[in-house]
């Protein structure tokens, strides 16, 4: 069997999700041939994990300015992009121009201009781009798709979707590069792309009009000062003020975080443990969105990043009844523990309320692994021969674009106070 040759650009916290599975579970079909990053220390740490944790050989390393040389030298079939979100388009486009297919971590990119550049490159090169929406593969989310496809509640008219990020995971977006909206498009793009994709996936439709409101209302120095805080610090590691702060992240207490970030700081100055109550935060932590879809369904959506528990609830109303789902997820910090703990479940329920019959609980398959059991299924779909999938969970570049365009339109609406027509943002 000919193995697919992969190279990964970006060796931060998300990269191990891909290369760890590739070299452990899919050696018969897949081969990691190179890694690329702006930071050599981080790549050296990655090679250490490959050797010591996964019993794989070290692979050639290339700095970011050697990306094209890496492709020419190592001849990968597919590039996996796990860099900072604002650079996704650069690597996606150049990889396709050099003859590679691409797998991109979500979000595909952060604004409409970069999205258009990617769409144009796909048309120009004929190469394929997949976006890794692991939540589609979680058994409970697939079950919602199945119930709607089977007409359980008839035609869907409205969805109310509330996502809760807690004071561990939610706070983490305000410690690191995500806190600058230029890097990830804010949580409406970086995080909500998962949620908007789920609605597109469940309903089999695309967004038409978006209106959003939101602000930074909890994190940031000004909000802390309003609550009476007087002790502040720039970063947590080694800072006395941070020792008793439940929001602090101490990089020196976690070998993985230390190796990936603290030990690598001398190269690029990136600090992974900034105070969530510092200055310089330009993303929102409290957001509400309304969306009308092309099938005329309406979504009301909220995202808050400082709540007491982690998870979501979704209520779907149709012409023949209603579906209610509640999911509680384990809390986690990216790259701070086992990958299987990211988005792992503590509880889940789906209840169907037929129009003229008694409500009933829906049996849900027990998934194993991160993101509600979706991670292992997604990884098999990527690195192994995919099987026929009635639910069509593999996400194309169109799916990737439609998920981010909801959040991008939301960001425009935040700035202008006006509803935004999604079809006017890009041309397919």
């Amino acid at each position: 069997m000919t193995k697919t040759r992969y190279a990964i650009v970006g060796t931060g916290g998300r990269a191990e999700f891909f290369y760890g599975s590739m070299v452990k579970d899919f050696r018969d079909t897949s081969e990691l041939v190179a890694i690329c990053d702006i930071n050599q220390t981080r790549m050296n740490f990655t090679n250490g994990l490959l050797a010591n944790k996964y019993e794989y050989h070290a692979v050639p390393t290339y700095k970011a300015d050697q990306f094209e040389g890496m492709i020419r030298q190592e001849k990968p079939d597919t590039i996996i992009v796990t860099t900072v979100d604002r650079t996704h388009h650069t690597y996606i486009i150049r990889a396709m121009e050099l003859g590679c297919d691409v797998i991109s971590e979500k979000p595909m990119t952060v604004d409409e201009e970069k999205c258009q550049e990617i769409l144009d490159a796909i048309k120009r090169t004929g190469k394929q781009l997949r976006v890794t929406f692991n939540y589609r593969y979680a058994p409970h989310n697939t079950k919602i798709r199945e119930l709607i496809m089977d007409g359980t509640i008839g035609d869907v008219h409205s969805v109310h979707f509330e996502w809760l990020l807690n004071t561990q995971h939610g706070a983490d977006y305000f410690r690191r590069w995500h806190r600058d909206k230029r890097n990830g498009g804010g949580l409406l793009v970086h995080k909500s792309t998962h949620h908007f994709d789920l609605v597109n996936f469940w309903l089999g439709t695309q967004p038409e009009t978006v209106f959003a409101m939101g602000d930074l209302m909890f994190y940031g120095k000004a909000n802390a000062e309003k609550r009476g805080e007087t002790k502040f610090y720039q970063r947590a590691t080694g800072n006395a003020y941070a020792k008793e702060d439940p929001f602090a992240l101490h990089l020196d207490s976690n070998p993985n975080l230390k190796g990936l970030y603290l030990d690598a700081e001398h190269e690029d100055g990136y600090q992974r443990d900034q105070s969530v109550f510092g200055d310089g935060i330009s993303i929102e932590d409290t957001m509400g969105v309304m969306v009308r879809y092309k099938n005329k369904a309406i979504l009301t959506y909220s995202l808050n990043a400082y709540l007491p528990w982690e998870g979501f609830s979704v209520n779907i109303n149709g012409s023949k009844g209603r579906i209610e789902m509640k999911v509680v997820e384990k809390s986690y910090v990216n790259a701070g523990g086992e990958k299987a703990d990211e988005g792992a479940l503590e509880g889940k329920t789906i209840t169907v309320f037929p129009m003229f019959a008694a409500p009933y609980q829906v049996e849900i398959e027990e998934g194993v692994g991160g993101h509600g059991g979706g991670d292992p299924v997604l990884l098999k779909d990527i690195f192994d021969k995919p099987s026929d999938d009635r639910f069509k969970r593999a996400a194309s570049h169109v799916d990737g674009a439609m998920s981010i365009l909801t959040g991008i339109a939301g960001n425009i609406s935040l700035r202008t106070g006006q509803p935004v027509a999604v079809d006017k943002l890009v041309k397919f």
Side-chain angles (χ1 to χ4, degrees):
M1 180 183 295
T2 301
K3 296 183 180 181
T4 302
R5 296 169 60 84
Y6 293 91
I8 294 180
V9 56
T11 57
R14 193 62 182 159
E16 188 181 354
F17 170 76
F18 294 99
Y19 72 71
S21 178
M22 185 195 311
V23 304
K24 179 183 178 183
D25 301 320
F26 300 100
R27 291 192 186 190
D28 291 341
T29 60
S30 309
E31 182 180 5
L32 179 64
V33 299
I35 54 178
C36 179
D37 200 291
I38 61 172
N39 193 297
Q40 186 64 49
T41 302
R42 192 170 298 123
M43 289 192 286
N44 293 344
F45 182 79
T46 298
N47 263 331
L49 289 178
L50 284 169
N52 300 320
K53 183 176 180 179
Y54 295 104
E55 298 181 346
Y56 197 75
H57 58 80
V59 298
T61 63
Y62 292 83
K63 297 295 284 292
D65 59 356
Q66 300 171 314
F67 179 69
E68 294 184 14
M70 175 190 72
I71 292 176
R72 292 190 173 97
Q73 178 68 29
E74 306 299 339
K75 296 179 173 56
D77 301 300
T78 301
I79 300 295
I80 299 175
V81 179
T82 54
T83 59
V84 173
D85 297 347
R86 64 177 166 78
T87 66
H88 282 187
H89 73 296
T90 299
Y91 295 109
I92 290 170
I93 293 168
R94 196 65 189 119
M96 291 191 295
E97 289 174 340
L98 292 172
C100 298
D101 291 325
V102 181
I103 295 169
S104 176
E105 176 60 27
K106 62 81 193 166
M108 191 172 82
T109 188
V110 298
D111 60 41
E112 66 272 31
E113 290 88 359
K114 295 181 179 65
C115 182
Q116 186 67 65
E117 290 177 26
I118 292 172
L119 297 176
D120 292 344
I122 291 170
K123 183 177 180 180
R124 184 172 66 251
T125 65
K127 304 309 293 184
Q128 291 187 337
L129 170 63
R130 286 188 61 175
V131 183
T132 53
F133 287 120
N134 38 16
Y135 270 114
R136 287 182 171 211
Y137 294 82
H140 51 283
N141 291 328
T142 302
K143 179 59 71 172
I144 296 294
R145 167 77 164 159
E146 180 181 6
L147 291 170
I148 292 173
M149 285 177 64
D150 291 348
T152 304
I153 59 169
D155 297 328
V156 173
H157 295 153
S158 66
V159 180
H160 179 67
F161 197 155
E162 182 181 19
W163 199 283
L164 299 82
L165 295 167
N166 71 2
T167 51
Q168 183 177 6
H169 180 206
D172 206 36
Y173 295 108
F174 298 82
R175 300 185 185 110
R176 47 191 175 136
W177 56 261
H178 308 74
R179 74 205 315 253
D180 186 339
K181 199 165 189 177
R182 295 171 297 182
N183 289 333
L187 293 180
L188 281 185
V189 173
H190 178 82
K191 182 62 180 175
S192 299
T193 184
H194 267 316
H195 316 151
F196 297 141
D197 176 69
L198 279 177
V199 179
N200 296 345
F201 171 65
W202 287 335
L203 273 58
T205 188
Q206 296 176 342
E208 183 178 80
T209 306
V210 178
F211 178 75
M213 302 179 74
D215 208 342
L216 182 66
M217 303 179 74
F218 181 79
Y219 297 109
K221 190 171 184 179
N223 290 320
E225 287 174 336
K226 288 179 184 177
R227 296 191 295 270
E229 295 292 336
T230 58
K231 294 181 179 180
F232 296 94
Y233 57 89
Q234 192 274 326
R235 66 170 310 174
T237 303
N239 193 298
Y241 282 164
K243 288 183 178 179
E244 304 301 322
D245 182 5
F247 290 93
L249 181 68
H250 302 279
L251 299 179
D252 52 1
S253 65
N254 183 293
N256 210 53
L257 292 173
K258 180 177 183 296
L260 279 176
Y261 301 111
L262 186 62
D263 294 344
E265 281 182 12
H266 66 280
E267 288 195 47
D268 54 25
Y270 174 55
Q271 295 179 341
R272 172 69 175 77
D273 60 343
Q274 297 173 77
S275 170
V276 301
F277 299 118
D279 286 322
I281 297 173
S282 56
I283 64 173
E284 300 81 18
D285 57 22
T286 307
M287 289 142 282
V289 181
M290 290 192 69
V291 183
R292 179 180 285 279
Y293 291 87
K294 291 181 178 179
N295 68 352
K296 303 309 177 185
I298 297 169
L299 167 70
T300 54
Y301 169 85
S302 70
L303 175 66
N304 295 275
Y306 46 85
L307 297 182
W309 61 275
E310 178 99 1
F312 67 98
S313 63
V314 59
N315 304 309
I316 305 172
N317 303 306
S319 59
K320 296 181 180 179
R322 172 180 170 95
I323 299 170
E324 295 183 0
M325 177 166 67
K326 181 176 180 180
V327 175
V328 179
E329 296 185 352
K330 292 181 180 178
S331 185
Y332 69 96
V333 170
N334 185 268
E338 292 298 321
K339 289 296 173 185
D341 290 337
E342 293 195 8
L345 299 189
E346 291 188 345
K348 61 185 181 299
T349 59
I350 296 177
T351 306
V352 174
F353 295 82
M355 188 76 79
F356 299 109
Y360 59 91
Q361 295 282 319
V362 175
E363 185 175 346
I364 309 170
E365 174 190 344
E366 284 296 326
V368 178
H371 293 94
D375 285 352
V377 188
L378 167 69
L379 290 165
K380 181 175 175 59
D381 199 20
I382 291 173
F383 295 123
D384 205 352
K385 184 178 180 180
S387 58
D388 291 335
D389 182 7
R390 176 193 174 201
F391 306 111
K392 301 187 184 305
R393 288 171 291 186
S396 69
H397 67 279
V398 176
D399 300 313
M402 281 302 167
S403 68
I404 58 170
L405 287 172
T406 307
I408 290 167
N411 280 333
I412 296 170
S413 183
L414 288 176
R415 295 195 301 268
T416 64
Q418 299 297 316
V420 176
V422 173
D423 282 349
K424 293 183 178 181
L425 298 179
V426 299
K427 294 181 180 179
F428 283 89

